[in-house]
Amino acid sequence: MAQSMLLSTGIHYENLPQRYVRPMSERPRLSEVVSEDVPIIDLGCHDKEKVVRQIGDACKSYGFFQVTNHGVSMESMQKTMEVGREFFHLPVEEKMRFYSEDPLKKIRLSTSSNVAKDTVGNWRDYLRLHCHPLEEFVHDWPSNPSSFKDVVSAYCKEIRQLGFIIMEAISESLGLEKNYIKMVMGEQGHHMAINYYPPCPEPELTYGLPGHTDPNAVTILLLDEQVAGLQVLKDGKWIAIDPCPNTLVVNLGDQIQALSNGRYKSVRHRAIVNSNKERISVASFLCPANDAIISPAKQLITDESPAMYKNFTYDEYYKKFWTRNLEKEPCLELFKG
Ligand code: OGA
Ligand code: NI
């Protein structure tokens, strides 16, 4: 793909440009997508054992769940959506100074998924930020909209806390010590992608994001309340997720699949686009420290379930992930033991 193909330029497309058109066999086949009740877990529930059980069940069968009473304020959620939207509505010249195609940059505006590797474009622009430790990164974040830094910092802090709560519950649900995942992950990284999917002239022919698994440990998604687009794969079928107010979506990434020795799945998910409305999502990626060594937990290795994956550092994994294009076979396949 050529340089700087940002979609959020104010240009209106009557037809889908050729570089976004998927071959027939890779199209989303939207008529085959199903609706299904997906797990919604009330984290405010006083019966903590029940919460752990529900999370365990969801992680096993879906690799995905939604949470309510999660401790992230509604105000933070709404404002983060708003500043994200305002950012993408800025004039293109204003945004372009953040533009980069280098996936290892700590702040960048980009498009598609991995401009250097994608053979077909994805109908998405995104702003990707490193968020931890905040003091190290926040001064490079956009100062237009003027509240961006404050709003997004506050949101990041709340999300990070929620991430720890979820990791504790996941550890316990695997029969591991409560702090197990937190210990293995070390000083956790935290990245964010504010995804912007403009209206698309031919949504049947392309994706916002094609089916993929996330390379990190746990992803927490804030979805646009007005416009659906997230779909998850379960038992060979794509399920459409209806956004619910005040609810966050949690999906497991590759590191939890590795650490759980395959008991929990890194769920395959995708974003589809639509012809009349823009859609925003904010993905918070909690990741192991770069030097963290990831391996299947000893307690989960038995005669019946030998170690499925090799030991690797997150740094190795993450670099490998970005040398590939998104819809290839899951990156974790390359780390099988
Ligand atoms: C992602 C992602 C889904 C969405 O950013 O990795 O899967 O609904 N986003 O935007
Ligand atoms: Ni994802």
Side-chain angles (χ1 to χ4, degrees), residues 27-63:
R27 292 182 186 170
R29 305 213 295 231
L30 299 176
S31 63
E32 294 170 24
V33 173
V34 297
S35 266
E36 187 179 307
D37 282 337
V38 292
I40 300 191
I41 299 170
D42 176 2
L43 293 183
C45 172
H46 291 295
D47 184 350
K48 294 299 167 207
E49 279 175 23
K50 179 174 165 197
V51 173
V52 167
R53 209 165 47 240
Q54 286 177 322
I55 288 186
D57 289 345
C59 288
K60 248 180 251 148
S61 45
Y62 287 85

Side-chain angles (χ1 to χ4, degrees), residues 124 128 193 195 197 209 212 214 219 221-223 229-231 251 269-271 279-283 285:
R124 165 182 92 137
R128 205 174 158 102
N195 297 312
Y197 305 98
L209 277 171
H212 67 282
D214 289 348
T219 304
L221 278 166
L222 168 60
L223 298 181
L230 175 66
Q231 302 183 342
N251 67 266
H269 56 286
R270 65 186 192 179
R279 173 173 176 264
I280 304 241
S281 72
V282 180
F285 303 105

Side-chain angles (χ1 to χ4, degrees), residues 62-208:
Y62 287 85
F64 155 92
F65 51 93
Q66 304 182 79
V67 289
T68 57
N69 295 312
H70 39 60
V72 180
S73 65
M74 196 161 25
E75 190 194 3
S76 245
M77 290 167 61
Q78 280 169 351
K79 285 188 167 170
T80 299
M81 262 294 158
E82 248 164 62
V83 294
R85 199 180 296 277
E86 279 172 42
F87 176 82
F88 281 100
H89 287 174
L90 290 173
V92 64
E93 312 77 58
E94 174 78 25
K95 290 182 291 209
M96 275 313 275
R97 63 175 130 147
F98 295 101
Y99 189 85
S100 166
E101 295 174 2
D102 173 4
L104 300 176
K105 279 198 90 168
K106 301 193 161 131
I107 173 166
R108 64 189 183 107
L109 171 67
S110 200
T111 190
S112 191
S113 300
N114 189 348
V115 180
K117 302 284 169 189
D118 296 336
T119 46
V120 182
N122 301 319
W123 198 255
R124 165 182 92 137
D125 287 347
Y126 62 101
L127 180 67
R128 205 174 158 102
L129 310 165
H130 282 218
C131 312
H132 184 81
L134 268 172
E135 324 69 88
E136 196 176 309
F137 301 113
V138 75
H139 53 85
D140 293 329
W141 290 4
S143 37
N144 188 4
S146 59
S147 61
F148 188 98
K149 288 179 176 155
D150 285 347
V151 165
V152 178
S153 301
Y155 179 73
C156 284
K157 287 184 198 155
E158 294 182 39
I159 284 288
R160 199 168 171 83
Q161 289 317 307
L162 172 60
F164 292 143
I165 292 171
I166 290 168
M167 284 175 216
E168 284 185 358
I170 294 177
S171 300
E172 288 191 292
S173 72
L174 285 165
L176 301 169
E177 205 257 312
K178 196 169 166 175
N179 283 325
Y180 184 89
I181 296 177
K182 205 172 170 189
M183 302 270 285
V184 168
M185 302 247 292
E187 187 59 27
Q188 288 184 39
H190 177 171
H191 304 172
M192 176 187 269
I194 305 180
N195 297 312
Y196 180 78
Y197 305 98
C200 175
E202 292 176 276
E204 287 281 353
L205 306 186
T206 196
Y207 294 100

